[in-house]
């Protein structure tokens, strides 16, 4: 949502306040996206103004809305620590905050007062045909350094650079540890919840990291090194998640194969080229995928007991790659990802 805060309140610093016109444009941009794309369930990050967002979503046809935290307010009108939220066209039957296992955290060497940088929301949504589904909305720790060098200081120029370099290295690694730990403790709780309820799982949000670089790759663990192979085949898939993008690509390949067989066409000697995944965030000259939707096996077309398959995957990035000032001035700094789930025939 990129600092969703109704004026005259300020985000982070006293002068950062939207004008009435800017706020109206931000509201309109959100409404336009919803009208165009028509998502049924949507997760939000960087929410400061909870009631205005709830009212906006209700006006757009989302009868169900939930948050589990509140932003922090300092000096009466300056807000920090925004929260996550969820809106749904389908009934939300249960809402809770994810609480990590303190004993496990301490086993991992974490401090006794460890906490998620932003509370994780779990909303159980009564989806058509499949019933209660646990939807998790996250905003994992950013890559911003956890250590700041106070300014101004009396250090010589070279010493000042050295202090900034040390803070960047150590503080950046600290943020990485926090982000990876959040993902690990969350996944453990998701598995425990799955065992207890049997509910399908859906994890969505801003991960602030590429899933492939190792820090968060364990979210997609689908094999166990030392467990019996037969037991893994029988039980493991039930507790694993898959990236909706990967499931969509697989569905494209499977659809192509099915068409070739049905049309009695000789299969191509090489598999079709994998479609390009569009970045969800740009920083200077670099780009990356930071925003994800992960799904449990009920949404895998190849899983024998699945209900749905990912029939489309859309990354809405017009405001990032071809912005129009009047339309996109108060949009968001991330692309919006959406997965379409279709009931299997």
């Amino acid at each position: 949502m990129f600092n969703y805060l109704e004026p005259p309140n300020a985000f982070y610093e006293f002068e950062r306040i939207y004008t009435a016109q800017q706020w109206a444009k931000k509201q309109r941009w959100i409404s336009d996206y919803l009208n165009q794309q028509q998502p049924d369930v949507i997760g939000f990050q960087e929410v400061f103004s909870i009631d205005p967002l709830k009212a906006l979503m209700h006006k757009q046809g989302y009868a169900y809305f939930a948050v589990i935290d509140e932003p922090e307010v300092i000096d009466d009108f300056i807000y920090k620590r925004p929260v996550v939220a969820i809106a749904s066209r389908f009934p939300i039957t249960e809402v809770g905050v994810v609480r990590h296992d303190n004993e496990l955290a301490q086993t991992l060497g974490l401090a006794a007062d460890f906490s998620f940088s932003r509370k994780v929301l779990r909303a159980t949504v009564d989806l058509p045909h499949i019933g209660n589904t646990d939807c998790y909305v996250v905003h994992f720790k950013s890559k911003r350094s956890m250590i700041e060098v106070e300014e101004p200081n009396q250090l010589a120029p070279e010493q000042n650079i050295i202090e900034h370099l040390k803070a960047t290295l150590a503080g950046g690694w600290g943020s990485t540890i926090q982000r990876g730990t959040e993902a690990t403790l969350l996944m453990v709780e998701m598995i425990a919840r799955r065992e207890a309820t049997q509910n399908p799982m859906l994890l969505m949000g801003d991960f602030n990291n590429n899933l492939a670089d190792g820090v968060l790759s364990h979210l997609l663990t689908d094999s166990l090194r030392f467990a019996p192979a037969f037991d893994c085949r029988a039980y493991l898939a039930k507790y694993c998640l898959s990236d909706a993008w990967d499931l969509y690509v697989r569905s494209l390949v499977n659809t192509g194969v099915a068409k070739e067989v049905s049309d009695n066409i000789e299969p191509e000697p090489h598999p079709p080229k994998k479609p390009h995944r569009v970045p969800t965030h740009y920083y200077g000259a670099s780009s990356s995928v930071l925003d994800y939707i992960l799904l449990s096996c009920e949404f895998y077309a190849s899983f024998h007991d699945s209900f749905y398959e990912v029939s489309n995957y859309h990354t809405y990035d017009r405001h990032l790659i071809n912005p129009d000032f009047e339309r996109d001035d108060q949009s968001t700094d991330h692309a919006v990802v959406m997965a379409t789930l279709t009931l299997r025939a």
Side-chain angles (χ1 to χ4, degrees):
M1 300 292 282
F2 195 45
N3 301 319
Y4 183 83
L5 180 58
E6 185 178 31
N9 297 306
F11 46 95
Y12 303 114
E13 298 173 1
F14 73 92
E15 75 275 9
R16 301 178 73 176
I17 303 173
Y18 294 120
T19 66
Q21 181 183 23
Q22 288 173 325
W23 177 249
K25 290 176 73 173
K26 195 168 190 69
Q27 294 282 76
R28 185 173 68 245
W29 190 90
I30 298 168
S31 297
D32 288 346
Y33 172 81
L34 296 174
N35 288 331
Q36 293 168 19
Q37 304 300 322
Q38 293 292 315
D40 291 310
V41 179
I42 183 167
F44 301 96
Q45 294 80 37
E46 293 198 24
V47 178
F48 286 114
S49 293
I50 296 171
D51 289 338
L53 180 60
K54 181 178 181 179
L56 176 64
M57 298 308 295
H58 189 269
K59 185 178 179 180
Q60 293 295 319
Y62 295 83
Y64 305 94
F65 181 88
V67 295
I68 42 82
D69 198 9
E70 294 182 350
E72 183 178 343
V73 185
I74 55 177
D75 295 333
D76 296 328
F77 73 101
I78 302 176
Y79 283 61
K80 64 178 184 178
R81 299 189 182 279
V83 302
V84 299
I86 190 171
S88 173
R89 298 187 190 277
F90 306 119
I92 296 177
T93 61
E94 182 184 347
V95 177
V97 59
V98 174
R99 303 189 186 281
H100 68 273
D101 184 329
N102 283 314
E103 184 177 345
L104 174 59
Q106 292 184 47
T107 299
L108 297 176
L110 302 173
D113 62 349
F114 175 87
S115 63
F116 289 99
S117 56
R118 303 171 184 91
K119 290 183 180 179
V120 178
L121 183 156
R122 185 192 70 239
T124 304
V125 181
D126 186 6
L127 296 180
H129 305 287
I130 199 171
N132 284 341
T133 299
D134 288 332
C135 299
Y136 297 82
V137 183
V138 300
H139 190 178
F140 289 141
K141 179 69 178 73
S142 71
K143 294 183 179 180
R144 186 178 298 108
S145 172
M146 297 178 71
I147 301 174
E148 296 184 3
V149 178
E150 294 186 6
E151 300 281 2
N153 57 58
Q154 304 301 316
L155 299 176
E158 182 176 356
Q159 190 62 39
N160 186 48
I161 291 299
I162 289 172
E163 292 303 312
H164 276 85
L165 177 59
K166 290 191 296 185
T168 298
L169 292 173
W173 177 242
S175 294
T176 299
I177 293 172
Q178 174 79 23
R179 188 165 56 255
T181 302
E182 290 176 353
T184 300
L185 294 177
L186 169 60
M187 192 66 201
V188 168
E189 294 308 309
M190 291 177 67
I191 292 169
R193 169 80 177 179
R194 170 75 150 171
E195 180 184 17
T197 67
Q198 305 300 307
N199 290 347
M201 302 181 290
L202 189 157
L203 172 60
M204 56 183 167
D206 177 4
F207 288 14
N208 267 313
N209 212 103
N210 190 303
L211 272 179
D213 78 353
V215 177
L216 302 183
S217 59
H218 51 286
L219 289 174
L220 301 180
T221 297
D222 61 359
S223 62
L224 297 176
R225 205 170 199 182
F226 301 110
F230 177 82
D231 291 345
C232 281
R233 286 193 298 271
Y235 304 113
L236 184 59
K238 181 179 176 182
Y239 298 95
C240 295
L241 297 174
S242 286
D243 188 345
W245 166 259
D246 292 335
L247 296 177
Y248 171 59
V249 172
R250 286 184 217 168
S251 74
L252 291 180
V253 173
N254 293 338
T255 301
V257 170
K259 184 178 188 305
E260 288 175 352
V261 172
S262 64
D263 293 346
N264 293 317
I265 299 174
E266 188 69 24
E268 295 181 8
H270 302 289
K273 186 177 179 180
K274 184 177 180 178
H276 170 68
R277 187 169 197 169
V278 177
T280 67
H281 188 258
Y282 297 85
Y283 184 78
S286 63
S287 62
S288 54
V289 178
L290 302 181
D291 304 85
Y292 293 89
I293 300 172
L294 307 186
L295 302 165
S296 61
C297 60
E298 286 83 2
F299 307 97
Y300 308 173
S302 59
F303 186 70
H304 55 83
D305 288 333
S306 64
F307 284 77
Y308 288 94
E309 62 180 332
V310 180
S311 58
N312 196 14
Y313 189 98
H314 182 251
T315 302
Y316 186 87
D317 64 351
R318 181 178 64 177
H319 57 293
L320 300 179
I321 62 172
N322 187 29
D324 176 87
F325 179 81
E326 182 57 33
R327 181 189 65 207
D328 302 315
D329 177 40
Q330 300 299 326
S331 57
T332 171
D333 60 339
H334 284 239
V336 186
V337 297
M338 184 172 71
T340 301
L341 306 176
T342 300
L343 195 64
R344 292 185 61 195

